[in-house]
Amino acid sequence: GYYHKELAAGRWFELSLVEQMANIGSEVERSIKWRGKDENNFMTSYCRMLELLELTIDDPKNRKRLRELCRVREALNDYFLFDNIYGSSDELWRKYFYGFAIARINYKEQKKI
């Protein structure tokens, strides 16, 4: 089953790519927070992150971004579960997703105007 049943039912596709990536970044942050501290919380946040990333990859509007999205998925899996052959770090992932979080805030502010 899905962690995000409502989003999986199509609501996710209504979000912009920036909003999708910012939400994924929130789960990445939770995964970083719990890794090595609480295995259950880590796996829950990791699985939610992966689910949102898969939904983003499946979103037809993101077709032109498939290479990057699939690379992100590969690198996150490598970082959290495998040998970290890409040399990722908590800081690198925070920086990568931080831009999406800021852009989402700006996007929401512009929609209010």
Side-chain angles (χ1 to χ4, degrees):
Y2 286 102
Y3 285 98
H4 301 93
K5 288 178 180 59
E6 184 181 314
L7 294 177
R11 193 171 153 281
W12 187 252
F13 291 178
E14 295 171 16
L15 299 177
S16 70
L17 176 60
V18 164
E19 291 171 306
Q20 291 172 340
M21 294 299 283
N23 281 294
I24 293 165
S26 294
E27 295 298 345
V28 169
E29 188 59 41
R30 286 183 193 95
S31 297
I32 289 169
K33 174 185 174 185
W34 291 113
R35 183 164 71 167
K37 294 181 186 136
D38 183 315
E39 190 63 22
N40 188 50
N41 282 338
F42 165 73
M43 284 309 297
T44 299
S45 59
Y46 175 79
C47 289
R48 284 193 311 245
M49 171 200 71
L50 208 52
E51 177 182 84
L52 294 179
L53 193 47
E54 293 297 332
L55 288 170
T56 303
I57 287 168
D58 290 344
D59 189 338
K61 77 172 165 292
N62 298 331
R63 260 179 275 177
K64 292 182 178 173
R65 302 272 186 219
L66 278 183
R67 178 176 282 157
E68 179 179 0
L69 293 170
C70 290
R71 182 74 64 183
V72 167
R73 178 182 58 194
E74 179 182 346
L76 282 168
N77 283 326
D78 173 58
Y79 181 60
F80 283 116
L81 298 183
F82 297 103
D83 297 327
N84 195 21
I85 60 172
Y86 297 111
S88 299
S89 66
D90 292 352
E91 187 63 23
L92 178 138
W93 288 115
R94 285 181 172 127
K95 284 180 180 176
Y96 178 82
F97 284 102
Y98 181 75
F100 293 108
I102 295 300
R104 176 178 61 182
I105 291 167
N106 292 336
Y107 176 77
K108 285 186 173 187
E109 288 301 313
Q110 287 174 355
K111 282 176 80 173
K112 289 180 187 176
I113 298 172

